[in-house]
Amino acid sequence: MTTHKRLVSQLSLIAVAALVAACGTATTPAPQATSAPAATTAPAQPSGNEPELTMWTWKVFHVPGLEAVAKNFEAKEGVKVKITAYNPDEVYRTKITTSAQSGDLPDILSYWSGGQWELAATDQLVELTGVVDPAWKANFLSGTYEKSSTLTQSTYDTCQKDPKCTYKNLKVGQSFSVPYLAGQAFFVYANKEILQKAGLDPNKAPTTAEEWMDMMKTVKAKTGTPGLVTGEQNADVLHYWMFNPMMMTSCGQEKYDAIYNGNGSFADPCVLNVFKWINDIQTNDLWMPNILQTNIDPADVAFSQGKAAFDLGGTYTLGFLVAQGMKTENLLSFALPPLKGSAYSKLEVSAFALIDAMVTKTSKHQKEALDFIKFLTTPEQMAVFAKTVGDFPAVKVPLDPDKIGPVLVGLMSAFSGKSPFDTSKAQILEEPGKVLKLGLQQFITKETTPDDLVKKIDAANKAAWDAKGGPLK
Amino acid sequence: MAQASTQAAYRPMSGRKRKSFRQHLQDNAGILFVLPAVITFLVFGLYTVIYSVILSFFRWNGFGKFSILPFACAPPACQFAGLDNFAYFLYQEPTMSGFFWQALQHNLIMAVFVTAGTVLVALPIAIALNRAAKGQTIYRVLIMLPMVTAGIAVFYVWSFIYEPDGLLNSVLESVGLGFAAAKQGWLGQPDRALTSLMIVMIWSSVPMAVILYLAGLQTIEKDLYEAAVIDGASAWQQLWNITWPLLLPVTVVIVITSINGVLQGYEMVYLMTYGGPAGHTEVVGLQIFKYGFGDQRQLGMASAMSWALFVLVFIVALVNLRIFRSRTEV
Amino acid sequence: MDKLRSRIALGSAYIVLTLYALLSLYPFLWMISSALKSNQEVLASKSLIPSQLHFEIIVNTWDQLNFFKYFTNSVIITVFVVIGIVLVYSMAGFGFARTKFVGSNLLFISFLGLLFVPGVTVLVPLVQLLKALGLIGRDATLPQTYFGLIMPIINGAGPFSIFLFRNYFASLPSELHDAARVDGASNWGVFFRIFLPLATPIIATVGILNVIGTWNAYIWPSIVLNNPDWYTLPLKLKDLDLQIVIQWNVRMAASLIMITPVIVVFLFLQRYYIRGLTAGAIRG
């Protein structure tokens, strides 16, 4: 009985304390609470309070870069921009979905480039068609704005054909966002020290995939260090970072498109050879142990600790490796080398838009928000962003180490104006995509073989295109 | 509630004497205890449940308008799908349904082994804890720690233990069991990943089971054991004839929550393996999460899968309750 | 002989407990040691003992967190959640276990069924509902927003809590109830004066479970709370990941700071597990 009384009295003490605390905090943040509605009514009284904008992102480490730009914007225009991050990706998507339902989207959203159509189709975004004038457009790297921020004919055609497509109401040429982050996968980094130890020339990058495989074998034989690491726990990595670029160089763009679009077979030697090569990494025991449970960041960490000789990544990888304490002098980087006898002897790499910024319809300050994304995508401000976070802007920034940091300069100059992926019209459907991703992982668990996988993908691809009314012409 | 009143309406037909309204009120006064819970649910739960059931018959990306009061489904973001969502993952789409059934199979394996493991580990610990007079507090606190330290920290520690050059392999090698070490890591090998994951699940669900068992042990009267000792019952007989049957209601709670946790939970799998290697630890809960809020954005599909899973879990739970109840009543 | 036997039994009990306690303790020790290491050492070393003690990590993290502000927010939410859950569902559990009313079984099974309602897919309708009630969004005040945050958590904890309370009350000897009835006590009297006082172990259990769950909740609060001043600790914690490279030592230090209050609550509640029911109380 006494126990109970004591528990009750102690609980009620806590309750009282909490109530007191509640009242306390209810009064202390009152200035903020009242300032919010004041801000929303600001446009009615133009001489009143300055509006405060909010921008969301899911990349937490971009926040300092965006904040630096926001600070410059405030100094220039007198408008504050608050940057808020929600991560990981799934939480960010959840937050956007629920906020769209409650009408609480922020003034400015960051979203995956090319993913904004769904938001636009449901009338959440301010249309930018025509607003992005030639002068603004000229800021962007080629292959970014015009490819994924403007609705292209081929995206439109595919959508019209697909019964599940959710943005059929959009028209070709419409635009709702501008890119601010770009990049590209397909980069291989090598640890020069390990190459040297294995008796290899640390400054000579392989020109073919076969050569590269031989280098990995030599390293393994001489030093015992595994050859290759990459973030394979994420099933997209092997598919998009390794298989697709190798298939592109091996088959050429026309064949690449035809095969994915249902007009060819994955059994074609140009694809089968790629599968065989990837499978050989496993048969030669060149993957870092535990590779299937290694995600992107841990893979780069392992590489920076010398646990593998090569790391497959992208433009974004370099900044990460340097932040881990690797010296740029100790790094050799090269674009993913093609197989011998490929259609292209070298993979041309161009920038792809990765993140777009957009203004929401629920924003009470659409003009200011638009001003901010315009300000953000100027070369000067993007240089500030790039230098602060070490990530790759979608805007032509001056190639000056003082302005964007030494790491990015080297990478940006590795880009060529165009890549076969710029003009590719291949559509990777959900079902065959899944079969492919699983199959590539099953090479490592030895649950499938290249010949076996080819049959499965062909069947899945045919079925998927048949369900859409036949292959894409 | 609706059923309650229909049942009441049938009463007079059973031939019993009609009771006065007042008498009815008095007989059913117990419902007042339940009323706050019912009201909370009616206000904050009912709409969401109905909504998610109806959503499972639609295709929706979460951005456009979909609501049920008033009903709204604006194409093309939202489309009526009939039973398509169910058909897709149950049989129609080979890869998707392949994944679903494989995931469900993992779920069932986990439901059996994690549940049994939790009970088998937690019960002896709770009994030992109940018995240990000295140092009980400190042991209790230590054993409960995994509940508090759960989340990302635990994920990282266990991943580190399971790594190819991690603690587990090192320990095995140092005691001469190097042949049993997992060269690809305990979570990296298809044949061990699921087992390794289940061990972490048991580890993290044991503390709560211990708490529940401890609370249950408090309700058993000491006299029963004293009487048993006088009758010459061995410790084993005491356990089997007194402790176990009297703890059955607690065991039911543990079994049901464990099954439910295993079938619906996805956080641990999400954090530790993301369903890998090559789908060998994929579970339905994780697929629902990926469909709902991954890059697929198919909330209708996620709902359909959830409700298919719901039906399954509910049946399993009812069967369990039946089994345990009939045993306790015998 | 018997003495020897019971000594062996007791000894083996202690061995089991010690081994398991170590297994439980290890990740916690690892957290502490990681919070004191450099980030490189966290990733590279297996030892629990840091080669060099970096106390500044915890200090800096503490400063960055603005701990008390967000601690207060978290405490308010957690306290209201737990009190709400214990009050509403101990009553319901008693109602189901110890009173009779028409449809009680069906209602209980329905609640039990709710236990299995999938959580992920109800997020969107829940937000629509809160919007309709004016409990979410930029026009909602702090009390409204917190109310909108708290009530679904309470509702979500319902099925399991009812289940626990009902089972516990059902397992208490029925003489308790009968004796009180004979004395002429009403159901309310029986509940508040006899059953609730005996329920401290289960109250403590339900309490600690929901303290932990609410304290660590991330997804739901991040959906409901838009004003950073109203954030809870886990939301604030995420703001520490500002660098491209994950700072494991900072993360661990922050986690450590965050779970310490829960451990304190646990230390405070745990003694109620043993004090609940004794043979004496039953004979009353």
Side-chain angles (χ1 to χ4, degrees):
Chain A
M1 215 49 95
T2 50
T3 320
H4 158 65
K5 267 192 196 142
R6 199 179 306 152
L7 177 67
V8 168
S9 69
Q10 279 170 337
L11 281 177
S12 51
L13 255 178
I14 298 178
V16 170
L19 275 170
V20 170
C23 298
T25 44
T27 48
T28 37
Q32 276 95 346
T34 48
S35 79
T40 53
T41 53
Q45 353 155 309
S47 58
N49 271 342
E50 257 102 41
E52 185 181 305
L53 303 174
T54 309
M55 177 181 187
W56 287 356
T57 177
W58 69 98
K59 292 274 182 198
V60 184
F61 76 86
H62 283 170
V63 172
L66 294 170
E67 275 175 348
V69 176
K71 217 172 140 196
N72 294 342
F73 186 66
E74 193 186 350
K76 186 166 166 261
E77 305 279 338
V79 177
K80 253 197 177 138
V81 186
K82 202 161 64 187
I83 315 291
T84 309
Y86 296 92
N87 74 331
D89 303 12
E90 284 90 349
V91 170
Y92 187 64
R93 287 198 183 89
T94 314
K95 178 73 184 169
I96 291 185
T97 308
T98 51
S99 301
Q101 293 303 317
S102 63
D104 291 317
L105 285 174
D107 304 280
I108 304 158
L109 266 183
S110 305
Y111 207 67
W112 289 265
S113 300
Q116 75 275 18
W117 305 124
E118 290 188 312
L119 280 159
T122 53
D123 208 25
Q124 316 272 358
L125 302 180
V126 173
E127 182 159 359
L128 300 183
T129 321
V131 176
V132 184
D133 51 35
W136 190 355
K137 255 184 225 175
N139 288 350
F140 300 108
L141 293 174
S142 69
T144 59
Y145 179 78
E146 76 274 12
K147 191 164 154 92
S148 54
S149 306
T150 318
L151 193 73
T152 60
Q153 186 72 42
S154 79
T155 312
Y156 176 84
D157 290 345
T158 323
C159 177
Q160 292 303 322
K161 262 187 117 178
D162 182 357
K164 288 186 196 168
C165 180
T166 54
Y167 47 91
K168 288 199 167 88
N169 47 342
L170 299 181
K171 293 184 198 68
V172 174
Q174 277 191 297
S175 166
F176 299 86
S177 62
V178 289
Y180 71 87
L181 192 89
Q184 190 53 284
F186 322 156
F187 271 100
V188 183
Y189 297 89
N191 184 326
K192 285 190 186 174
E193 254 172 52
I194 297 179
L195 296 189
Q196 224 151 10
K197 254 188 236 160
L200 294 164
D201 180 354
N203 293 312
K204 192 178 161 292
T207 53
T208 66
E210 285 83 356
E211 244 177 73
W212 184 28
M213 181 83 78
D214 286 339
M215 286 172 84
M216 290 194 266
K217 283 189 203 164
T218 311
V219 168
K220 176 92 181 184
K222 295 262 174 68
T223 66
T225 309
L228 184 57
V229 66
T230 189
E232 236 153 87
Q233 191 187 54
N234 182 334
D236 286 344
V237 166
L238 267 189
H239 181 194
Y240 292 113
W241 296 8
M242 181 174 255
F243 174 76
N244 276 355
M246 289 187 79
M247 175 176 165
M248 178 61 91
T249 47
S250 175
C251 302
Q253 188 218 316
E254 224 166 278
K255 229 178 187 180
Y256 175 93
D257 288 7
I259 292 172
Y260 265 124
N261 291 343
N263 299 309
S265 162
F266 284 88
D268 191 295
C270 76
V271 190
L272 190 60
N273 287 337
V274 174
F275 279 135
K276 283 184 172 154
W277 187 87
I278 295 176
N279 189 33
D280 279 347
I281 306 177
Q282 167 63 31
T283 44
N284 290 319
D285 195 16
L286 296 172
W287 288 114
M288 192 186 82
N290 203 27
I291 190 74
L292 284 174
Q293 289 303 355
T294 308
N295 213 331
I296 298 169
D297 286 357
D300 297 338
V301 171
F303 173 73
S304 72
Q305 292 170 345
K307 287 183 184 166
F310 297 92
D311 184 13
L312 174 63
T315 46
Y316 30 82
T317 311
L318 186 55
F320 189 89
L321 293 175
V322 171
Q324 283 291 338
M326 269 195 111
K327 297 269 174 298
T328 36
E329 308 88 76
N330 188 26
L331 283 169
L332 171 70
S333 73
F334 51 92
L336 194 63
L339 289 169
K340 257 183 215 158
S342 282
Y344 306 140
S345 61
K346 185 172 178 268
L347 179 63
E348 299 285 341
V349 183
S350 76
F352 259 54
L354 295 177
I355 302 180
D356 275 31
M358 51 212 76
V359 177
T360 63
K361 279 230 168 122
T362 45
S363 166
K364 299 254 165 67
H365 312 286
Q366 295 176 6
K367 192 196 155 291
E368 288 84 356
L370 193 63
D371 286 346
F372 179 71
I373 63 173
K374 195 165 184 175
F375 184 75
L376 171 68
T377 50
T378 55
E380 302 76 46
Q381 298 307 317
M382 283 271 73
V384 171
F385 171 85
K387 194 175 182 185
T388 316
V389 303
D391 215 342
F392 208 98
V395 162
K396 293 165 192 150
V397 293
L399 288 182
D400 178 352
D402 289 339
K403 290 200 172 125
I404 60 170
V407 173
L408 287 179
V409 175
L411 269 182
M412 288 202 90
S413 45
F415 279 115
S416 60
K418 58 169 168 238
S419 123
F421 283 102
D422 291 347
T423 44
S424 167
K425 294 188 168 56
Q427 299 285 333
I428 302 170
L429 299 186
E430 195 183 327
E431 271 282 314
K434 279 185 180 166
V435 176
L436 184 54
K437 286 181 228 284
L438 182 65
L440 289 170
Q441 293 198 329
Q442 283 179 333
F443 284 162
I444 297 167
T445 60
K446 303 189 192 89
E447 288 170 297
T448 193
T449 62
D451 296 305
D452 200 29
L453 180 58
V454 161
K455 281 181 210 137
K456 281 192 248 171
I457 303 178
D458 269 342
N461 205 36
K462 186 175 180 308
W465 281 109
D466 285 350
K468 283 180 176 283
L472 188 70
K473 292 291 179 225
Chain B
M1 290 289 286
Q3 279 87 348
S5 53
T6 39
Q7 270 192 4
Y10 277 114
R11 272 255 163 102
M13 288 173 70
S14 65
R16 273 197 275 158
K17 231 184 175 178
R18 198 172 246 284
K19 286 183 195 164
S20 71
F21 181 67
R22 217 191 141 83
Q23 186 67 39
H24 263 303
L25 265 188
Q26 222 154 43
D27 281 359
N28 291 315
I31 203 162
L32 290 178
F33 283 96
V34 184
L35 216 52
V38 173
I39 292 171
T40 308
F41 171 70
L42 290 180
V43 178
F44 289 97
L46 187 65
Y47 176 79
T48 66
V49 173
I50 296 173
Y51 183 102
S52 119
V53 172
I54 294 179
L55 180 58
S56 59
F57 302 102
F58 287 83
R59 198 177 289 132
W60 185 48
N61 67 2
F63 285 143
K65 200 158 175 54
F66 179 86
S67 71
I68 56 168
L69 265 182
F71 182 80
C73 167
C78 171
Q79 292 162 20
F80 181 67
L83 290 171
D84 276 5
N85 288 333
F86 292 93
Y88 284 152
F89 72 82
L90 287 176
Y91 61 91
Q92 214 167 348
E93 300 263 319
T95 323
M96 192 192 278
S97 58
F99 266 116
F100 176 79
W101 290 108
Q102 191 195 11
L104 191 61
Q105 198 186 335
H106 294 151
N107 272 137
L108 294 177
I109 294 172
M110 285 176 174
V112 172
F113 287 100
V114 172
T115 306
T118 305
V119 169
L120 287 178
V121 175
L123 186 58
I125 289 177
I127 291 173
L129 208 49
N130 199 37
R131 208 175 268 186
K134 272 185 206 155
Q136 198 193 35
T137 309
I138 181 75
Y139 278 118
R140 204 163 47 219
V141 172
L142 290 181
I143 286 167
M144 302 315 166
L145 265 180
M147 276 172 74
V148 190
T149 48
I152 194 130
V154 164
F155 141 73
Y156 198 70
V157 180
W158 277 97
S159 301
F160 157 78
I161 291 173
Y162 280 151
E163 269 174 18
D165 53 356
L167 192 70
L168 185 54
N169 275 350
S170 325
V171 168
L172 283 175
E173 265 149 38
S174 66
V175 297
L177 292 171
F179 60 89
K183 303 267 174 317
Q184 290 294 320
W186 290 83
L187 292 171
Q189 290 185 199
D191 54 335
R192 300 197 190 176
L194 193 62
T195 315
S196 306
L197 200 62
M198 288 197 292
I199 289 173
V200 186
M201 287 179 165
I202 293 172
W203 177 86
S204 63
S205 61
V206 157
M208 192 182 84
V210 170
I211 288 190
L212 292 174
Y213 272 136
L214 262 185
L217 284 169
Q218 310 286 324
T219 65
I220 300 179
E221 295 173 54
K222 296 259 175 346
D223 314 15
L224 285 173
Y225 292 106
E226 283 158 22
V229 170
I230 292 165
D231 289 350
S234 71
W236 181 249
Q237 282 169 326
Q238 289 175 35
L239 174 71
W240 191 242
N241 294 325
I242 302 173
T243 317
W244 177 250
L246 287 177
L247 283 180
L248 259 190
V250 180
T251 309
V252 174
V253 175
I254 293 169
V255 167
I256 288 187
T257 47
S258 162
I259 289 175
N260 187 45
V262 162
L263 291 186
Q264 292 209 9
Y266 59 88
E267 287 91 348
M268 182 164 285
V269 186
Y270 172 79
L271 287 171
M272 291 193 65
T273 68
Y274 207 71
H280 283 277
T281 58
E282 191 69 64
V283 291
V284 179
L286 184 60
Q287 290 200 332
I288 293 171
F289 188 64
K290 285 178 182 173
Y291 274 108
F293 298 106
D295 51 7
Q296 308 272 352
R297 308 201 55 81
Q298 302 182 33
L299 277 91
M301 180 72 74
S303 278
M305 254 184 211
S306 306
W307 287 105
L309 189 65
F310 170 84
V311 171
L312 180 88
V313 183
F314 200 32
I315 291 172
V316 171
L318 282 183
V319 168
N320 256 297
L321 276 181
R322 230 352 84 90
I323 293 172
F324 279 104
R325 189 168 292 172
S326 60
R327 265 206 228 142
T328 38
E329 276 164 10
V330 165
Chain C
M1 241 339 239
D2 271 1
K3 240 187 185 168
L4 184 69
R5 255 202 176 162
S6 71
R7 270 213 184 148
I8 290 172
L10 197 64
S12 48
Y14 274 111
I15 291 170
V16 168
L17 287 178
T18 308
L19 286 178
Y20 203 81
L22 286 177
L23 198 59
S24 303
L25 187 62
Y26 181 77
F28 185 64
L29 292 179
W30 192 88
M31 274 176 82
I32 296 176
S33 104
S34 302
L36 296 170
K37 286 175 177 174
S38 73
N39 198 38
Q40 255 72 20
E41 200 188 342
V42 176
L43 294 164
S45 155
K46 282 181 212 166
S47 166
L48 277 181
I49 298 153
S51 62
Q52 213 183 343
L53 292 174
H54 292 269
F55 285 111
E56 77 276 6
I57 307 281
I58 292 190
V59 176
N60 291 345
T61 310
W62 174 273
D63 289 346
Q64 270 182 38
L65 264 181
N66 193 353
F67 181 78
F68 283 109
K69 176 173 174 180
Y70 300 98
F71 172 79
T72 316
N73 292 348
S74 278
V75 167
I76 292 168
I77 290 165
T78 308
V79 164
F80 278 107
V81 164
V82 170
I83 290 179
I85 288 172
V86 168
L87 262 182
V88 173
Y89 300 118
S90 65
M91 276 169 61
F94 177 79
F96 283 123
R98 291 290 168 179
T99 68
K100 289 204 178 86
F101 55 92
V102 177
S104 109
N105 253 337
L106 192 75
L107 198 58
F108 177 67
I109 295 280
S110 309
F111 266 114
L112 198 61
L114 290 177
L115 182 61
F116 310 114
V117 169
V120 179
T121 51
V122 299
L123 289 178
V124 172
L126 205 45
V127 167
Q128 286 189 357
L129 181 75
L130 293 186
K131 182 74 187 170
L133 296 173
L135 298 176
I136 195 172
R138 42 191 125 188
D139 302 327
T141 61
L142 176 99
Q144 285 172 330
T145 307
Y146 275 13
F147 186 67
L149 175 68
I150 288 167
M151 286 315 289
I153 302 182
I154 294 181
N155 178 58
F160 189 46
S161 312
I162 291 179
F163 194 28
L164 287 180
F165 277 116
R166 177 193 170 272
N167 262 27
Y168 187 83
F169 286 130
S171 71
L172 292 178
S174 52
E175 302 95 69
L176 276 173
H177 205 170
D178 301 339
R181 277 273 182 72
V182 171
D183 293 348
S186 72
N187 271 337
W188 296 97
V190 174
F191 174 66
F192 281 109
R193 272 187 269 122
I194 301 179
F195 277 82
L196 205 55
L198 291 176
T200 44
I202 203 71
I203 292 176
T205 306
V206 171
I208 191 72
L209 278 177
N210 288 292
V211 165
I212 293 169
T214 312
W215 192 260
N216 293 333
Y218 176 67
I219 292 192
W220 178 237
S222 76
I223 287 174
V224 179
L225 302 176
N226 282 318
N227 185 340
D229 288 322
W230 301 350
Y231 273 9
T232 56
L233 269 179
L235 264 61
K236 182 63 188 169
L237 223 64
K238 284 276 175 180
D239 284 357
L240 297 175
D241 282 348
L242 281 183
Q243 277 162 303
I244 188 167
V245 177
I246 296 169
Q247 301 292 310
W248 281 103
N249 50 355
V250 175
R251 269 199 185 174
M252 291 304 144
S255 307
L256 211 57
I257 293 172
M258 200 182 88
I259 65 173
T260 308
V262 184
I263 294 180
V264 172
V265 172
F266 182 74
L267 286 175
F268 156 75
L269 281 182
Q270 55 83 25
R271 49 199 176 116
Y272 292 103
Y273 292 125
I274 37 166
R275 291 218 195 145
L277 195 68
T278 60
I282 291 173
R283 290 202 201 95

